[in-house]
Amino acid sequence: MNQRKILVTSALPYANGDIHLGHIMEVTQTDIWVRLQKLRGHDCVYVCADDAHGTSIMLSAEAQGITPEELINKVKRQHEQDFKEFLIGFDNFHTTHSEENKSFSEEIYLALKANQHIAKRTILQLYDPEKQLFLADRYVIGTCPNCKSNGQYGDNCEVCGSTYSPSELINPKSAISGAVPTEKESEHFFFKLPAFNEMLKTWTRSGTLQDSVANKINEWLEEGLQEWDISRDAPYFGFEIPGHSDKYFYVWLDAPIGYMASFKNYCSKTTYKFEEYWEKNSETELYHFIGKDIINFHTLFWPAMLTSANYRTPTAVFVHGFLTVDGTKMSKSRGTFINARTYLENLNPEYLRYYLAAKLSSGIDDLDLNLEDFVQRVNSDLVGKVINIASRCAGFINKGFNGELSSKIDTPELLMEIQSKKDEITSHYENREYGKAVRIIMALADKANHYINDKEPWVIGKKDKASPELQEICSIGINAFRLLIIYLKPVLPETAKKVEIFLKIQPLIWEDIDSLLLGHSIGKFTPLITRVESEKVQNIIAVTKEIFKPKDKLEHKKKMNNLEEFEPQIEFDDFKKIDLRVARIILAERVEGADKLLQLTLDLGFDSAGNALSRKVFSGIKSAYDPDGLKDKLTVVVVNLKPRKMKFGVSEGMILAAGPGGKDIWLIEPHNGATPGMRIT
C-alpha cells in the first residue's frame, strides 16, 4: 500500500462564543476520518484554528472591558480544552490572528491585485452616528419591507424569507447603539469573482464536491457571480489592507487562509514542508470538512483566490448538514442548545462520538440527536453488545487458564467472517458513510454474542473450569472483541486505549485486523464503559435552560416598563400619522375556527357627505369578552391602518386594548361625551 500524504481541516470556530454540540458534530466527523487514515499508516495531518477577527469580537471585548487580543486568547484556551476532552486529535490548533495568517493574507491580496483581480469603487453604507462605525447587515435591525415583521436583520427576513438591502428596512436602527443609521459613502475593495466563472464550473464538477452541493453551486454560476467585497472600514479588529491604514480585510478573506497559516505554524515545529502541500502542482491531498451554511466561501471565493494567487485548490470539500436535537433546531429555551462543556460535565464524550458516527453519512441532510434514542442506542450497542463480549469471556480465561488465551483455534469461522468485512468497513469510513460502517460492526457484534450464547461457556465452566473447549470458546470471544475494537477505534479512541491495556498489547493499527491474538496473556477485565444514565441527560437539559434563562425576572420586568426598551422606537412625526377614532361596536361575532378572534362591526359616524361609515375588524379579545356584552360599547380604532388579509377575511383596522393576555385584556373605552367618528388627538 502506497502511503498517502494528506492535509485535513475542519471549519474554524468563531472566537466569540462557546463550543456547542454543532461544532462537535463537525470535528467528530473529521476526527474519525483522520484517525482512520493514521491507523491505516497514511501520513495525515489535521489542523484547525480559531476564527479571531471581526466587528463582533471587537464589540464583545469592549463590553467586557478587555482588549480583543485578551478575549481571543481566553476563548482559544477554552476551545482547545473542550476539543481535547472530546478526543479531537488536532495536530495543530492555531488562530487567524497570527503572524503567519497576516503574511499569507497580504501576500494573496497583493497577488490578486497584481493579477488585476481587485476592483475599487465607492459604495453607500449604513453608518451608526453614535458608535461611529459602518454597520454590517447583521447589525441593522428593523421592519421587513415585505411582510412588515419587526426585529429583522438587514439582509433577510426570518419570517417570510425575503432578501433585501439594509437601506430597504422600515425604521432601521443600529443593533449596537439603537441609533437611527445614516447613509455614508466609503471606498471599498472587491475581488473580481466573475472572472473565475469558467474555472469554477470545471473545478466544482471535477469530483471535488458532493453532487447535491455541485448542483447548488451550478445554480449560482448560471445566475452569474457578483464581485465580492473584501474590505471593511475602521474601527475593525483584523488585518489592515496593505497601503490603507483605515481599511481592513473582511474576516472571510483571512479565515480560510487560516488553514494555510495553521499548517505553516505546524511546519515551523516539525519537519513538514509547507510548499509540498500548497504549491500549485502538489501531489498531496487537501480536504476541508465544513457545514452547508458556508459553502459559498469554500467552493467559490476560496478556490478562486487560490487560483489567482498560484496556490493549489482543495482535493475535495466535504459538506455536512446541521445538528438538530429531538427533531428541531437547537433551542436555548428548550435546553437543547447544548454547550460542549455542559455535556462534558455530565457524560462520557465517547457516548456522543458513537451516536454521531452511527448516524453520519456522506450527505448534507441534517442529523438529529434524539435524546431518548441516544440513551437506548449507546446502552444497547456499546455496553450490551460490544463490551458485553469481553465481560462474558475474560473471567473464564482469568480463573481457569491464568489469563492465557488458546495457542490455536480449531473453529475460526466467526473470526474469519469478522475479518472478511475489513475492506467493506474501510470503504465506508473512507467515504464518510460512518453509519453504514457502524451497522456492519454491530451486526458482527450480534453474531459474536450469539456464538457465546450457543456455546454456553458458563455451563462448561461449572463442570470443568480448565476445559480446553472452554478456553477456545472464550479465546474466540476475546479475539472477536479485539477485532471489533479495531473497527471502532476511529470512533472510540479512549476505549481502545483501555482495551489495549486490558489485553496487554501494543496500540492497535488497521493491519492488526488480519491477525489473531493466540497464546497470549491478558489482564483482568474491568468495566471499560458504563451505561448512560437518563438522569444525567435530563440534567444537561436543565443546566442548559438555566444558562440561557433571563438572568433576573425583576430586571426584565423593569425593562419591559421602561419606554426606552420598547421596539421599534419611532419619531413623533411617525406617531402623528396614526389616525385614532372613537368607534361604537354595532356587532360582535365569534369567528368559526379561530381560538382568539372576534369579528367586530364598528360604527365610525358619518363622512362629509353624510354617509354612514363602518368597518369590520378582527380582534384577539375572545378570551376576555363575551360577544353579546360588547354591543354598543365605545372603543378606539386605528382607521388608517392598511387592510390586512387574514385566513378568516379582511381586517380593516385595529382596535386598541391593553393587558397581559387571557382574561386580562381591556378595551380602551373613551368617556365624557365621546361619539363615533371623533378623532383622538
Side-chain angles (χ1 to χ4, degrees):
M1 181 186 70
N2 294 327
Q3 187 187 53
R4 297 158 60 188
K5 290 191 173 184
I6 310 169
L7 177 60
V8 179
T9 76
S10 47
L12 312 185
Y14 199 45
N16 192 32
D18 295 326
I19 297 299
H20 55 69
L21 296 196
H23 295 119
I24 295 302
M25 181 181 76
E26 176 171 288
V27 293
T28 297
Q29 182 190 37
T30 315
D31 186 72
I32 290 171
W33 197 85
V34 168
R35 287 182 184 274
L36 171 76
Q37 307 306 334
K38 291 184 176 183
L39 287 171
R40 296 184 70 197
H42 296 308
D43 184 352
C44 187
V45 178
Y46 181 16
V47 301
C48 195
D50 265 347
D51 183 3
H53 288 154
T55 302
S56 61
I57 284 175
M58 178 183 73
L59 295 173
S60 290
E62 180 183 305
Q64 295 178 42
I66 58 178
T67 66
E69 288 82 1
E70 289 172 324
L71 172 64
I72 62 176
N73 289 337
K74 178 182 73 172
V75 171
K76 182 173 182 285
R77 289 191 294 271
Q78 294 168 348
H79 286 184
E80 287 183 290
Q81 188 62 35
D82 288 346
F83 286 138
K84 180 181 178 181
E85 291 186 38
F86 262 104
L87 312 174
I88 307 302
F90 294 124
D91 291 290
N92 199 58
F93 191 85
H94 204 35
T95 173
T96 59
H97 192 65
S98 67
E99 285 303 315
E100 296 96 341
N101 204 33
K102 184 174 187 291
S103 176
F104 282 125
S105 297
E106 292 177 351
E107 176 202 327
I108 288 175
Y109 167 77
L110 292 172
L112 302 183
K113 185 178 179 182
N115 292 331
Q116 298 185 345
H117 291 141
I118 297 294
K120 287 194 298 183
R121 61 178 176 270
T122 299
I123 64 172
L124 271 177
Q125 285 182 282
L126 291 185
Y127 182 79
D128 186 328
E130 289 188 18
K131 200 68 180 174
Q132 295 189 340
L133 55 77
F134 286 96
L135 295 168
D137 294 350
R138 61 176 298 197
Y139 290 115
V140 184
I141 294 178
T143 300
C144 171
N146 182 49
C147 72
K148 307 301 185 290
S149 297
N150 293 329
Q152 299 308 307
Y153 289 114
D155 54 355
N156 73 284
C157 177
E158 295 181 345
V159 177
C160 69
S162 61
T163 59
Y164 41 74
S165 68
S167 60
E168 293 178 275
L169 279 174
I170 300 169
N171 298 321
K173 70 172 186 176
S174 166
I176 300 169
S177 69
V180 177
T182 60
E183 285 193 325
K184 188 174 180 179
E185 287 188 343
S186 176
E187 186 178 62
H188 273 234
F189 300 84
F190 294 81
F191 175 47
K192 295 181 180 179
L193 187 61
F196 297 88
N197 199 76
E198 293 306 313
M199 169 259 159
L200 290 168
K201 281 185 177 179
T202 301
W203 182 78
T204 56
R205 290 296 188 185
S206 63
T208 55
L209 307 175
Q210 297 114 301
D211 288 344
S212 58
V213 176
N215 291 338
K216 182 62 181 177
I217 297 299
N218 188 61
E219 290 178 18
W220 295 339
L221 292 170
E222 291 299 324
E223 289 174 4
L225 300 174
Q226 302 296 314
E227 291 186 345
W228 179 40
D229 189 346
I230 61 167
S231 60
R232 293 295 183 266
D233 293 278
Y236 191 81
F237 183 61
F239 297 137
E240 287 187 352
I241 297 177
H244 301 274
S245 60
D246 60 342
K247 303 290 181 183
Y248 292 80
F249 289 128
Y250 173 41
V251 61
W252 264 109
L253 180 128
D254 67 65
I257 296 172
Y259 300 141
M260 302 171 75
S262 184
F263 184 64
K264 179 70 172 179
N265 180 258
Y266 182 66
C267 291
S268 70
K269 298 180 284 190
T270 63
T271 59
Y272 283 85
K273 304 297 181 186
F274 178 85
E275 295 75 17
E276 185 180 4
Y277 286 79
W278 285 97
E279 65 185 3
K280 184 75 172 178
N281 298 312
S282 173
E283 294 184 0
T284 62
E285 301 171 49
L286 171 63
Y287 300 99
H288 300 311
F289 285 74
I290 65 164
K292 61 185 179 182
D293 55 329
I294 53 175
I295 289 173
N296 57 339
F297 297 109
H298 284 81
T299 63
L300 293 175
F301 308 144
W302 178 229
M305 285 198 310
L306 288 169
T307 298
S308 179
N310 203 37
Y311 283 108
R312 60 91 46 83
T313 53
T315 307
V317 177
F318 298 140
V319 181
H320 61 79
F322 299 133
L323 179 71
T324 60
V325 180
D326 285 343
T328 60
K329 182 179 178 181
M330 291 195 297
S331 164
K332 293 176 180 178
S333 63
R334 288 194 297 269
T336 57
F337 193 93
I338 301 168
N339 285 337
R341 180 52 42 191
T342 305
Y343 177 98
L344 289 165
E345 288 171 352
N346 288 274
L347 292 174
N348 184 333
E350 288 191 316
Y351 296 157
L352 185 61
R353 287 179 64 100
Y354 174 75
Y355 187 81
L356 293 173
K359 301 192 75 173
L360 275 164
S361 73
S362 62
I364 63 171
D365 292 335
D366 294 346
L367 185 154
D368 186 50
L369 168 58
N370 180 287
L371 296 174
E372 185 177 338
D373 180 52
F374 167 75
V375 174
Q376 189 277 330
R377 186 176 298 211
V378 172
N379 289 343
S380 172
D381 289 1
L382 293 187
V383 182
K385 294 180 181 179
V386 178
I387 303 301
N388 189 47
I389 298 168
S391 67
R392 299 172 84 183
C393 297
F396 294 112
I397 295 294
N398 289 133
K399 292 175 184 176
F401 308 97
N402 199 30
E404 189 84 12
L405 298 175
S406 295
S407 57
K408 65 182 183 69
I409 291 175
D410 295 325
T411 55
E413 292 81 6
L414 171 65
L415 302 179
M416 290 172 65
E417 182 177 1
I418 296 174
Q419 289 172 316
S420 73
K421 297 296 183 180
K422 176 185 176 184
D423 289 345
E424 188 178 359
I425 291 172
T426 303
S427 176
H428 286 323
Y429 273 132
E430 178 73 36
N431 294 317
R432 306 177 322 285
E433 294 287 354
Y434 304 159
K436 292 180 180 179
V438 167
R439 283 193 288 276
I440 294 171
I441 296 166
M442 287 305 136
L444 294 172
D446 282 335
K447 290 188 176 185
N449 279 296
H450 290 154
Y451 169 83
I452 295 168
N453 289 341
D454 291 343
K455 295 297 183 180
E456 297 182 318
W458 49 89
V459 174
I460 300 171
K462 280 185 179 179
K463 297 177 182 177
D464 182 1
K465 66 178 183 179
S467 163
E469 181 186 7
L470 177 62
Q471 186 182 25
E472 177 169 333
I473 291 168
C474 293
S475 295
I476 288 173
I478 293 295
N479 270 279
F481 171 70
R482 168 183 166 273
L483 293 172
L484 295 172
I485 290 297
I486 299 172
Y487 285 143
L488 287 170
K489 188 169 182 178
V491 181
L492 307 174
E494 193 60 35
T495 296
K497 281 185 183 178
K498 294 177 182 178
V499 171
E500 290 156 1
I501 294 169
F502 157 55
L503 295 180
K504 297 182 178 179
I505 56 176
Q506 292 297 309
L508 293 161
I509 60 174
W510 213 245
E511 286 185 358
D512 290 336
I513 295 167
D514 301 326
S515 63
L516 299 177
L517 208 57
L518 302 173
H520 178 84
S521 179
I522 65 172
K524 291 188 179 297
F525 177 83
T526 56
L528 298 167
I529 195 165
T530 58
R531 295 175 62 84
V532 183
E533 298 175 34
S534 297
E535 295 77 11
K536 289 190 175 181
V537 175
Q538 294 308 311
N539 188 56
I540 288 174
I541 302 300
V543 169
T544 301
K545 286 181 179 179
E546 183 68 22
I547 290 171
F548 292 112
K549 79 174 185 179
K551 291 184 173 62
D552 188 330
K553 287 186 178 180
L554 180 60
E555 183 174 329
H556 178 68
K557 189 173 181 180
K558 286 179 182 176
K559 284 184 176 182
M560 289 303 294
N561 286 300
N562 183 342
L563 287 177
E564 293 182 359
E565 296 297 325
F566 285 112
E567 307 284 355
Q569 294 181 2
I570 62 173
E571 300 291 339
F572 182 69
D573 286 343
D574 295 318
F575 177 72
K576 286 197 300 183
K577 296 175 184 176
I578 302 173
D579 190 351
L580 299 175
R581 303 287 179 119
V582 175
R584 183 171 61 87
I585 300 173
I586 304 171
L587 180 65
E589 302 172 279
R590 292 180 176 85
V591 180
E592 186 176 349
D595 295 330
K596 299 179 180 179
L597 294 179
L598 294 179
Q599 185 180 47
L600 307 178
T601 303
L602 305 175
D603 169 16
L604 286 164
F606 301 90
D607 64 15
S608 58
N611 300 311
L613 295 174
S614 67
R615 294 279 178 89
K616 289 186 182 295
V617 172
F618 289 102
S619 180
I621 59 172
K622 182 179 178 180
S623 60
Y625 285 94
D626 181 350
D628 295 334
L630 286 172
K631 187 176 180 182
D632 292 327
K633 273 187 180 291
L634 293 179
T635 188
V636 177
V637 63
V638 181
V639 294
N640 63 336
L641 186 67
K642 184 178 179 180
R644 182 185 177 193
K645 187 175 182 180
M646 303 176 69
K647 177 180 178 182
F648 307 101
V650 177
S651 185
E652 299 173 319
M654 178 184 291
I655 64 166
L656 301 191
K663 292 186 177 298
D664 295 328
I665 299 175
W666 299 280
L667 287 177
I668 305 300
E669 297 184 49
H671 298 286
N672 299 327
T675 58
M678 180 183 290
R679 184 165 189 170
I680 296 176
T681 59

